[in-house]
Amino acid sequence: MNVRRFPLVRHEDERGWFCELARASALPKPIKQANLSRSRKGVIRGLHYHERGQDDLFVCLEGTVRVVVLDLGTDEVFSEDIGDDNPVAVYVPGTCAHGYEALSDCLFAYLVTEEFDPAHPDEHGIPWDDERVRHLWSTSSPILSARDTSS
């Protein structure tokens, strides 16, 4: 599947803490765009994949999310809760279907290897409740966008 985990090491002092979100030399492809989303508890975003191979580095900056990944070639799945209690970045190859569930209100960053082109968005959907992944979500009645309810 080639999902990679990068522990986020926090360096704390009396002012608070500092940590690296990404080190370009450790990533398989260079990052070309950084995106930020805020989600309410109970939201599921995805699943989608990129045929042109955009990879994503997921980082939960505040709160907790469950990252879910489905390898479309092997049906292998990956899931991990990341954020406040588990400061980890997760690198996902774009050819794998991926999404996340907000387990709390959250601030979520994804650094991507391709710039978004609204005229030709390389996003292809798989239902969030696909039989291969439905057991990985904590809810059976998520808050979904119109885009995420259709496949």
Side-chain angles (χ1 to χ4, degrees):
M1 177 180 290
N2 208 20
V3 170
R4 296 186 187 185
R5 298 175 69 257
F6 296 96
L8 302 176
V9 178
R10 292 181 178 167
H11 305 278
E12 296 187 42
D13 63 22
E14 62 279 356
R15 300 168 295 171
W17 56 264
F18 160 87
C19 81
E20 292 180 13
L21 294 182
R23 185 171 287 226
S25 63
L27 302 176
K29 295 181 187 175
I31 297 298
K32 293 186 179 176
Q33 183 173 320
N35 303 306
L36 184 64
S37 69
R38 177 166 290 287
S39 295
R40 294 180 304 150
K41 180 180 179 177
V43 165
I44 289 180
R45 294 185 187 254
L47 296 168
H48 68 269
Y49 62 96
H50 309 282
E51 287 183 340
R52 295 192 298 261
Q54 170 186 300
D55 296 355
D56 294 25
L57 180 68
F58 293 151
V59 182
C60 185
L61 302 173
E62 181 179 282
T64 302
V65 304
R66 176 166 295 159
V67 174
V68 172
V69 181
L70 168 64
D71 186 311
L72 297 171
T74 66
D75 288 345
E76 181 182 0
V77 295
F78 170 90
S79 174
E80 185 166 359
D81 297 352
I82 65 171
D84 291 343
D85 295 329
N86 185 25
V88 173
V90 177
Y91 189 92
V92 179
T95 54
C96 291
H98 52 275
Y100 73 89
E101 175 185 0
L103 299 176
S104 68
D105 290 354
C106 67
L107 192 59
F108 188 76
Y110 47 109
L111 294 79
V112 298
T113 61
E114 298 297 329
E115 293 178 357
F116 181 71
D117 179 357
H120 303 289
D122 180 29
E123 294 185 345
H124 309 279
I126 291 180
W128 71 273
D129 59 351
D130 181 283
E131 65 183 30
R132 296 167 288 183
V133 297
R134 89 175 73 165
H135 65 284
L136 298 174
W137 306 113
S138 75
T139 182
S140 59
S141 56
I143 301 165
L144 299 168
S145 70
R147 179 183 118 170
D148 290 332
T149 58
S150 60
S151 54

